[in-house]
Amino acid sequence: MKPLVDPRGGDIEDDASSTKSNSLLMMAGNMLGEISFAKLVVAWLALFIVPAVIIGVTPLIASAWLGKLAGKLTPALGIVPLAILAIIITLGWLFGRRLLRLAESSFWSLNALVIEPVYIVCREVMRHVAEKFLSDDASPRNRERIRAWAAAASGLVISLAALAVFLAVWPSTRWIGQLSDLAAPLHLMWAAIANTVAVICAYLAVAAFAWGIADATMPPPRDLQRFADAANGDRAWRIAHLSDIHTVGEPYGFRIECGRGGPQGDDRFRRLLTQLEAIHADDPLDCLLITGDATDAGRSGEWAEFLDALAEHPVLAERTLVLPGNHDINIVDRSNPARLDLSIGPNSRLRKIRTLSAMDALQGQRVHTVDRKQQTADRTLAATLAPYADDIKAFADTGRPVFSTLASDLWADVFPMVLPPETPNGLGIILLNSNADAHFSFTNALGLISVEQFTAMEQVLAQYPDAGWLIALHHHPIEYPRKAKVLAERIGTTLINGNWFLRRLQPYADRIILTHGHRHIDWIGECGGIKIVSAPSPVMESRNDGTTYFYIHSLTIDDTGRLQLLTPQRIDVAGDRDSTTITPRLESVQHS
């Protein structure tokens, strides 16, 4: 029996969210047609409008109150500011860390929404146009100089544009208010809007210029020129590096970004694990590291499929370390990129709880979390989660908001996760969460390393000063030094604060190697002395009958304490030659 349309091959509906089968313009059009405008209004009010009005109106109300207080100051009134100060100090003592985390997240969200897209588009357009005039045999140094000048020029252009808007709106601003203004709220609102625009433009002018200079002066990324040679007797750690498995929960399911242009089901991942276990039996592995996007959309069925596949290979499961990718926690709906999650809803917390539960099952007894007060990583992930086990189960069952805030705090507290070195001068592994919070599938891929998380990582590096460290995250901290064929390939989704992240890591360059996924393609290079290893996806970049690959990396620590990267071992994963999948018309393209 053969149906007219073979359902195993999927159909156009499976390509709805595929960046390989639809242009970004087409997806944007579909998004506008499908988006929930009620949710969009609430999201804009909560995330942009209300904060903007608060920024603009605060100086007016504060100055009016201070003026009134100064004019009628009495001993009784003098108690009022002291009481307010006491309340502020109390709130800071009780919720200070949470407020600082919120402020940092909001700060980088502003960069992600306003500065980074505008700056990156301007920078990459300039670079793309400039590189068109370079010959194919132009030296890498010439390309690096052009990229540096394009970064500085784009920062300057955006800064001047923002400054022009600031000067245009400045005459409408008003920073001193009076209590009588409250009687004319419409007049007050326009002054508040003008204040908000002025503040944002002033920040944009300064930040874009600083961003451009920081980019221009950053050491350029370069391909790694040579791998180290292992000396006889050196301890070598073998790390199988996988990323972006994008497990689906159905035997004929298709992945979000691939649609029908990628493999169906999870057969390739299961074949990969069987192949990897045979390799381990011949030459043992120390770790199977999966740097994010273990699932396609963080659904329960996908995590179940992922864990079931590993359960068939316990010798690999007991060596597996996994960290969260944007598809694990930030995809709101597999089939609808226009879907919005409201921040007050339970869904984003549920995706984090599923991820935490999977990580606890795989590595809970092996990885440690950082005690911020003691500045040590001595408690296992399982011990950290144990006091909250009942709350986690209840929230997953009911989704009631009582645990929501606690869940967010717990999520922040468990990162970084640390696999300590076996000896003081051995190799340790640090797992970071590089995902920025997102409630919108269309903007799910943004990355961020928080100051709090980086500080905790530095505490771990100080706790083991003689160890080498493999630092794993999902997002790439810098764009690759490759010439792009089309402009669309240049607009990537690096860490929002990747420049800051790499600069802060430079003092540890001899002791660390960065590993990541996210881009689905392999690159091994260095930036500012820091070695960076990107993992290809062994699943995403081929159709059912194609061959994919991944790498097993070997690391050693030399006599001077430097962490060295040996020549990697490439492992090919053959496709399914008996596949009956109907493949679509479009070839694959790079994507984030």
Side-chain angles (χ1 to χ4, degrees):
M1 180 176 66
K2 185 177 180 180
L4 185 63
V5 176
D6 191 339
R8 294 169 297 176
D11 51 39
I12 190 64
E13 187 177 18
D14 295 293
D15 299 335
S17 298
S18 172
T19 56
K20 295 188 174 187
S21 302
N22 301 295
S23 68
L24 292 180
L25 184 61
M26 181 183 296
M27 293 185 69
N30 292 337
M31 179 186 69
L32 289 175
E34 297 292 337
I35 200 166
S36 167
F37 286 97
K39 283 188 175 181
L40 185 63
V41 169
V42 173
W44 268 81
L45 284 172
L47 300 177
F48 187 76
I49 301 297
V50 172
V53 171
I54 291 174
I55 290 173
V57 81
T58 295
L60 296 172
I61 294 179
S63 60
W65 182 79
L66 289 174
K68 187 70 173 178
L69 183 65
K72 296 185 177 182
L73 188 59
T74 66
L77 284 175
I79 298 175
V80 175
L82 293 178
I84 293 175
L85 180 62
I87 293 172
I88 292 174
I89 293 174
T90 303
L91 290 175
W93 178 263
L94 295 175
F95 307 107
R97 184 178 169 212
R98 190 175 296 163
L99 292 172
L100 287 174
R101 189 184 299 147
L102 177 62
E104 181 187 20
S105 175
S106 300
F107 171 79
W108 286 113
S109 294
L110 175 63
N111 283 276
L113 289 171
V114 179
I115 296 176
E116 190 193 36
V118 175
Y119 168 72
I120 286 180
V121 168
C122 183
R123 182 192 69 189
E124 294 304 323
V125 167
M126 288 186 175
R127 286 179 174 179
H128 197 66
V129 171
E131 289 181 11
K132 287 291 186 182
F133 295 97
L134 284 177
S135 61
D136 291 337
D137 59 350
S139 70
R141 297 301 173 91
N142 285 340
R143 184 166 285 111
E144 288 171 3
R145 281 193 288 267
I146 284 179
R147 291 187 169 198
W149 278 108
S154 61
L156 180 60
V157 167
I158 296 171
S159 181
L160 291 175
L163 186 60
V165 175
F166 173 82
L167 293 175
V169 78
W170 178 257
S172 301
T173 62
R174 184 159 62 90
W175 306 99
I176 305 298
Q178 314 213 352
L179 290 181
S180 59
D181 290 334
L182 297 177
L186 188 61
H187 182 70
L188 186 66
M189 182 187 70
W190 286 115
I193 291 174
N195 291 353
T196 300
V197 172
V199 169
I200 291 177
C201 285
Y203 172 71
L204 180 60
V206 174
F209 183 75
W211 207 317
I213 297 301
D215 246 3
T217 57
M218 184 73 188
R222 293 170 180 165
D223 296 337
L224 192 64
Q225 297 301 310
R226 63 179 298 273
F227 295 96
D229 298 318
N232 291 333
D234 279 357
R235 168 71 162 99
W237 292 271
R238 280 169 49 80
I239 313 292
H241 186 193
L242 304 180
S243 194
D244 299 273
I245 307 299
H246 288 259
T247 305
V248 293
E250 313 89 24
Y252 296 103
F254 293 96
R255 288 156 177 81
I256 293 174
E257 295 179 20
C258 290
R260 290 173 295 160
Q264 66 186 71
D266 299 303
D267 290 342
R268 185 184 296 266
F269 180 48
R270 291 179 179 271
R271 294 199 307 273
L272 180 158
L273 292 176
T274 300
Q275 187 175 352
L276 195 56
E277 185 168 347
I279 292 171
H280 170 75
D282 183 60
D283 192 356
L285 299 167
D286 291 279
C287 177
L288 168 56
L289 176 63
I290 302 176
T291 51
D293 284 359
T295 66
D296 202 39
R299 302 298 299 270
S300 295
E302 294 168 351
W303 278 116
E305 181 70 21
F306 175 76
L307 293 174
D308 285 350
L310 280 171
E312 296 175 5
H313 304 274
V315 70
L316 296 179
E318 66 185 12
R319 288 166 170 77
T320 297
L321 297 177
V322 62
L323 57 85
N326 60 297
H327 278 253
D328 299 318
I329 64 171
N330 277 342
I331 294 293
V332 177
D333 190 325
R334 289 192 79 236
S335 61
N336 182 10
R339 175 84 175 272
L340 278 168
D341 252 355
L342 296 180
S343 58
I344 58 175
N347 291 344
S348 64
R349 275 85 169 181
L350 280 172
R351 291 191 291 272
K352 291 176 180 177
I353 283 174
R354 292 173 194 142
T355 305
L356 274 180
S357 181
M359 290 189 293
D360 180 44
L362 288 170
Q363 63 214 37
Q365 299 295 340
R366 293 180 293 128
V367 299
H368 293 184
T369 60
V370 180
D371 186 321
R372 266 62 170 183
K373 293 182 180 179
Q374 300 297 325
Q375 300 185 4
T376 57
D378 298 326
R379 186 171 58 170
T380 65
L381 172 63
T384 301
L385 296 179
Y388 307 99
D390 291 339
D391 290 328
I392 289 173
K393 293 175 184 177
F395 184 78
D397 185 46
T398 65
R400 292 178 180 172
V402 177
F403 182 65
S404 291
T405 302
L406 183 59
S408 297
D409 290 344
L410 182 61
W411 176 258
D413 287 340
V414 299
F415 293 102
M417 296 181 190
V418 182
L419 183 67
E422 295 177 352
T423 61
N425 60 349
L427 177 70
I429 300 177
I430 295 176
L431 308 177
L432 299 176
N433 169 37
S434 61
N435 295 282
D437 283 335
H439 301 278
F440 189 18
S441 286
F442 203 70
T443 58
N444 72 82
L446 298 174
L448 167 69
I449 297 294
S450 67
V451 173
E452 181 183 28
Q453 189 177 184
F454 191 95
T455 301
M457 181 177 65
E458 286 188 310
Q459 292 168 355
V460 174
L461 297 177
Q463 185 180 355
Y464 299 93
D466 298 322
W469 292 95
L470 193 64
I471 299 178
L473 65 161
H474 182 58
H475 294 76
H476 48 302
I478 198 165
E479 292 290 353
Y480 307 135
R482 294 181 176 177
K483 185 176 181 179
K485 296 179 181 178
V486 295
L487 181 60
E489 294 179 5
R490 305 189 70 107
I491 310 302
T493 48
T494 57
L495 289 177
I496 299 170
N497 58 344
N499 197 307
W500 169 87
F501 178 65
L502 288 175
R503 288 177 185 271
R504 287 287 299 270
L505 280 177
Q506 281 183 331
Y508 309 100
D510 290 344
R511 298 171 51 198
I512 66 172
I513 292 176
L514 286 184
T515 60
H516 69 84
H518 195 43
R519 286 301 296 270
H520 304 175
I521 57 178
D522 66 309
W523 179 69
I524 302 177
E526 62 87 22
C527 180
I530 301 171
K531 297 182 184 68
I532 303 175
V533 178
S534 171
S537 171
V539 172
M540 292 286 284
E541 296 306 308
S542 177
R543 294 171 178 168
N544 283 347
D545 59 351
T547 298
T548 56
Y549 63 94
F550 64 95
Y551 288 103
I552 296 176
H553 296 282
S554 297
L555 293 82
T556 63
I557 298 177
D558 64 20
D559 295 337
T560 66
R562 292 172 60 94
L563 183 60
Q564 302 285 4
L565 184 64
L566 308 183
T567 302
Q569 177 186 2
R570 172 171 164 155
I571 309 297
D572 289 332
V573 183
D576 182 3
R577 302 300 177 185
D578 297 326
S579 171
T580 58
T581 298
I582 302 171
T583 53
R585 62 191 181 280
L586 296 179
E587 296 296 330
S588 64
V589 296
Q590 288 184 12
H591 57 84
S592 298

